[in-house]
Amino acid sequence: PGRNSAMNQKYLAGCFTLIVVAIGLIVLSGAAYTVNMREQVVITQFGKPKGKPITEAGLKFKIPFIQKANVFDKRILPWDGPVSQMPTKEKTLIMVDTYARWQISDPLTFLRLLRDERTASSRLNDILGSETRNTIAKHELIEVIRTTQGRVPEQSEVIVEGDTTGVVGVLPPISRGRSALERDIYETSKIKLEMFGIKLLDIRFKRVNYNQTVEGQIYQRMISERKQIADRFRSEGAGEAAKILGKMEKELNTIESEAYKQVQTIMGNADAEATEIYASAYNQSPEAAEFYEFSKTMELYPEMIGGKSTVVLSTDSDLFKYLKGMQIQDENEEE
């Protein structure tokens, strides 16, 4: 019996030792924790922050079961906002998709106001979405989609019947551009998010689309404007073609008239020279002059009395004297 009693005491002592070790391990595991270089920790005691945030990596200790280690990410975190419908300054409905990058800069404030990243994401949706909507509403669509500041787009002007302005498809100049609008959203949202312990690093437009309800109308308007501009170009081309053809015809008529004038002048000079030659040839003697008169009269007879022509001449006509003379000569020969 004494031996059994000693063995029981040793067994109980071993069990007690194991229990103490187990409790010690549990307490130690609850008291010790590690912080890696990607994390930052805030210790809370009964739900209230205790001390400063722990940002250095390594093995740390806390009061087990009383204090709690709240771990927050120290890295740059993404935010992908929902696609939202919003109007521009000219009341054009567009769908805007944005994204941002943020970081937990003040873990104590972040824990006290937001508690976790899920709540922070909801707050980012509210603040960034609201500031984006306000900025878009103050600017025209071209300022949202164009990135080059100071660039003046090419303007296409066309006169439209019934339009008081007479201009279609004229794009306004770009005074700021999309980058400036993103910077405005960043500056206004940054101040509001700092109150929640969040540091906003950047915000950008991912995509900007027309609203589906007005997309078809806008495309139809774009097609109509392009057609009007094309019609104007065709009209101007037809006008230029008519002007060129008219100028060409005028120049052609001028050339033909000048050529006809030169031809007539040359022919007149030639006739004058020929007449002068004939005159000098046939005026050498009375017989030559008489022969010239006779030959010219003979040349005129076929033209006057040839074919079906009817000529009425007086017997005293100078043109008839040669025919009359021929008749008198024939009568004399018969006698």
Side-chain angles (χ1 to χ4, degrees):
R3 186 177 180 181
N4 291 335
S5 178
M7 292 179 63
N8 289 334
Q9 290 178 357
K10 290 181 179 180
Y11 176 75
L12 291 175
C15 291
F16 179 76
T17 303
L18 290 175
I19 293 173
V20 172
V21 172
I23 293 174
L25 291 175
I26 293 173
V27 172
L28 182 62
S29 64
Y33 64 94
T34 57
V35 179
N36 60 44
M37 60 186 307
R38 298 171 298 177
E39 298 174 342
Q40 50 189 345
V41 177
V42 175
I43 301 298
T44 58
Q45 184 172 326
F46 302 112
K48 296 182 179 180
K50 190 72 173 178
K52 295 182 179 180
I54 300 172
T55 58
E56 296 181 358
L59 181 63
K60 309 295 179 180
F61 295 93
K62 61 181 179 62
I63 300 174
F65 311 115
I66 297 177
Q67 294 181 340
K68 178 183 177 182
N70 299 274
V71 180
F72 299 104
D73 206 323
K74 194 165 57 175
R75 296 172 297 179
I76 297 175
L77 303 174
W79 174 82
D80 193 357
V83 181
S84 302
Q85 175 179 291
M86 53 192 69
T88 61
K89 185 177 180 180
E90 65 269 28
K91 307 304 180 183
T92 301
L93 291 178
I94 58 176
M95 307 299 294
V96 181
D97 189 5
T98 55
Y99 72 95
R101 296 293 180 264
W102 61 284
Q103 196 174 27
I104 301 174
S105 59
D106 188 351
L108 288 175
T109 304
F110 185 85
L111 175 64
R112 186 176 66 255
L113 299 178
L114 300 177
R115 306 298 300 182
D116 53 25
E117 294 181 8
R118 183 177 180 180
T119 307
S121 179
S122 177
R123 184 63 55 149
L124 285 167
N125 290 342
D126 296 338
I127 295 176
L128 296 181
S130 176
E131 294 301 327
T132 300
R133 187 174 291 101
N134 294 337
T135 303
I136 294 295
K138 296 177 183 177
H139 297 83
E140 297 181 352
L141 177 62
I142 192 171
E143 299 284 353
V144 181
I145 61 178
R146 290 290 185 181
T147 58
T148 305
Q149 181 179 352
R151 178 183 181 273
V152 179
E154 295 183 0
Q155 300 182 357
S156 301
E157 299 182 359
V158 58
I159 305 301
V160 182
E161 185 177 357
D163 186 11
T164 57
T165 62
V167 178
V168 172
V170 177
L171 298 177
I174 303 168
S175 60
R176 305 196 66 199
R178 186 171 66 188
S179 299
L181 269 61
E182 293 171 342
R183 190 162 52 251
D184 291 345
I185 299 172
Y186 169 77
E187 294 296 337
T188 54
S189 302
K190 177 183 178 182
I191 299 174
K192 295 182 178 181
L193 291 173
E194 285 178 351
M195 296 186 300
F196 298 95
I198 294 176
K199 180 180 179 181
L200 182 64
L201 301 177
D202 193 16
I203 181 171
R204 301 287 180 178
F205 295 139
K206 183 191 298 184
R207 187 184 298 272
V208 178
N209 287 331
Y210 286 114
N211 185 287
Q212 293 182 355
T213 57
V214 298
E215 185 175 357
Q217 299 176 1
I218 293 174
Y219 287 159
Q220 188 62 36
R221 178 184 175 187
M222 293 170 62
I223 293 173
S224 176
E225 289 179 356
R226 294 300 101 185
K227 285 184 178 180
Q228 291 172 357
I229 295 173
D231 291 340
R232 188 202 67 172
F233 288 156
R234 293 191 185 98
S235 177
E236 291 179 353
E240 290 295 328
K243 187 185 297 184
I244 293 172
L245 290 176
K247 184 178 180 181
M248 181 185 67
E249 186 175 357
K250 180 180 178 181
E251 292 179 354
L252 181 62
N253 292 334
T254 302
I255 294 172
E256 289 181 349
S257 63
E258 291 293 333
Y260 180 77
K261 178 181 179 181
Q262 292 181 5
V263 169
Q264 294 299 320
T265 301
I266 293 172
M267 292 179 64
N269 293 334
D271 290 341
E273 292 181 2
T275 302
E276 185 179 356
I277 293 172
Y278 283 133
S280 61
Y282 289 109
N283 286 333
Q284 294 180 0
S285 63
E287 291 80 6
E290 184 179 358
F291 177 73
Y292 176 75
E293 182 181 1
F294 175 76
S295 62
K296 286 297 182 182
T297 304
M298 291 298 104
E299 291 178 0
L300 185 61
Y301 282 163
E303 297 179 2
M304 294 183 59
I305 61 177
K308 298 180 179 181
S309 301
T310 302
V311 181
V312 178
L313 298 173
S314 171
T315 55
D316 296 332
S317 174
D318 292 337
L319 184 63
F320 190 68
K321 66 182 180 178
Y322 291 111
L323 296 177
K324 186 177 180 181
M326 291 177 61
Q327 186 178 3
I328 294 174
Q329 184 178 1
D330 292 339
E331 289 178 355
N332 294 330
E333 289 180 356
E334 289 179 357
E335 293 178 357

